[in-house]
Amino acid sequence: QAFDAALRVMHVIEPLPFAAELRGFVDQPAYIEAATLVVETTLWPRVRFPGAECVLRHGWAQRAIEFEAARWGADLLVVGSHGRSWFDRTVLGSVTQGLLNDLPASLLVVPIRTVAPLDASDSETRNTEAAVR
């Protein structure tokens, strides 16, 4: 607010990487529908910045983030890092690493350790929310 900045909160629902091989066992549209419902009911209600825009995209996270950042003309992106091991990053890839290499904006990486409880009466949650605001 001090810088009269606009905030866009984006979540990307990626396709299941093994869905093509398990076509008869995985219902990709049902997965996307369920994931969308989770984002709309648990993530979007936590966005309290006045005027914040919530954006949901489907596809590969790195590509979607790069596209939106360029289209929106973002100055700064803040992403969470799951803190995966070297092996996990090698096998699964790293969206953050790809963004560091290719993003046309500044990038702030925040390590994700735990998810704060939704109970707003918890003083630690209130302090965390105040720090984020």
Side-chain angles (χ1 to χ4, degrees):
Q1 289 172 332
F3 296 104
D4 195 31
L7 176 67
R8 178 177 287 179
V9 179
M10 185 171 124
H11 183 79
V12 181
I13 298 174
E14 291 189 297
L16 295 170
F18 53 82
E21 292 84 13
L22 301 174
R23 208 167 287 237
F25 301 102
V26 176
D27 184 353
Q28 188 83 290
Y31 158 74
I32 291 173
E33 184 177 328
T36 300
L37 181 63
V38 168
V39 169
E40 291 173 349
T41 58
T42 62
L43 179 60
W44 293 159
R46 296 181 75 129
V47 177
R48 296 187 183 115
F49 188 84
E53 180 183 355
C54 295
V55 178
L56 181 63
R57 295 289 179 256
H58 301 100
W60 298 109
Q62 181 180 339
R63 288 186 211 148
I65 294 168
E66 289 171 354
F67 176 81
E68 285 295 324
R71 186 175 76 79
W72 198 40
D75 295 316
L76 172 67
L77 271 77
V78 179
V79 298
S81 173
H82 297 288
R84 291 190 171 120
S85 68
W86 173 87
F87 179 77
D88 290 339
R89 285 191 306 275
T90 302
V91 173
L92 300 173
S94 171
V95 171
T96 303
Q97 185 65 44
L99 291 173
L100 283 169
N101 295 330
D102 301 327
L103 192 65
S106 295
L107 182 67
L108 174 62
V109 181
V110 179
I112 304 294
R113 301 280 188 252
T114 60
V115 176
L118 289 175
D119 183 3
S121 65
D122 181 4
S123 63
E124 185 176 325
T125 302
R126 284 195 308 270
N127 292 339
T128 302
E129 289 176 352
V132 171
R133 287 186 202 152

